[in-house]
Amino acid sequence: MSNELTVINPGVLMTQATDVAGVCGEIVKRTAQTIQGRKYVKVEGWQSIAAAYGCIASSTNVQKVEGGTKAIGELRRADGTLIATAEGFVGEDEPTWYGGIVVSYGKEKTLPKRPDYAIRAMAQTRAISRVCRSAFAFVVVMIDSKLSTTPA
């Protein structure tokens, strides 16, 4: 394995990013989720961008840890080369997943704990979104500067 720095033409990179933004823009905008007045990219949008770059995002190593459940997201090229990793986490302090009291519009509501498979799946979803965000946030800004690059 070489430690040489590869120089890439930035004009070529920007042209490719513009092409990907054009191809993926509709799905990213259509699937974005509005939370408290801001639009956030969902995992489907992140995956479409990754696919347009010839990459596959997946998760691995899902496990219960102190304070919640974590998963590792991996972004790989089609040839299997690992490009990036990131962690997704669902905390036991999140009433939506682990149960507890939430206050909405001044009213308290008690939520039940979700099944373990759902908590594990959310950790995977967060890991995949986060790893794609780390590699492709600049494409989202090209699609629509009002979209938040924080995964939904």
Side-chain angles (χ1 to χ4, degrees), residues 73-148:
E74 295 183 340
L75 184 65
R76 295 182 180 271
R77 283 196 290 244
D79 67 4
T81 302
L82 183 64
I83 297 171
T85 62
E87 183 177 287
F89 184 77
V90 179
E92 291 174 352
D93 60 346
E94 296 182 59
T96 298
W97 297 100
Y98 280 90
I101 298 171
V102 294
V103 178
S104 179
Y105 300 106
K107 294 185 179 183
E108 283 189 3
K109 183 177 182 179
T110 302
L111 301 175
K113 179 188 174 291
R114 299 255 183 116
D116 288 343
Y117 76 86
I119 294 169
R120 291 173 59 87
M122 179 50 70
Q124 291 174 304
T125 297
R126 289 179 179 178
I128 290 168
S129 293
R130 192 161 295 281
V131 74
C132 289
R133 185 250 180 255
S134 71
F136 305 121
F138 67 98
V139 177
V140 170
V141 174
M142 294 175 86
I143 291 169
D144 185 342
S145 63
K146 293 178 185 162
L147 282 170
S148 175

Side-chain angles (χ1 to χ4, degrees), residues 34-95:
T34 303
I35 302 171
Q36 296 181 349
R38 293 193 63 191
K39 286 193 168 261
Y40 294 86
V41 179
K42 290 178 65 175
V43 70
E44 297 87 349
W46 289 116
Q47 288 175 315
S48 71
I49 294 169
Y53 271 98
C55 296
I56 299 165
S58 63
S59 65
T60 184
N61 199 27
V62 183
Q63 59 183 309
K64 182 89 168 116
V65 295
E66 184 177 338
T69 302
K70 76 171 189 171
I72 303 300
E74 295 183 340
L75 184 65
R76 295 182 180 271
R77 283 196 290 244
D79 67 4
T81 302
L82 183 64
I83 297 171
T85 62
E87 183 177 287
F89 184 77
V90 179
E92 291 174 352
D93 60 346
E94 296 182 59

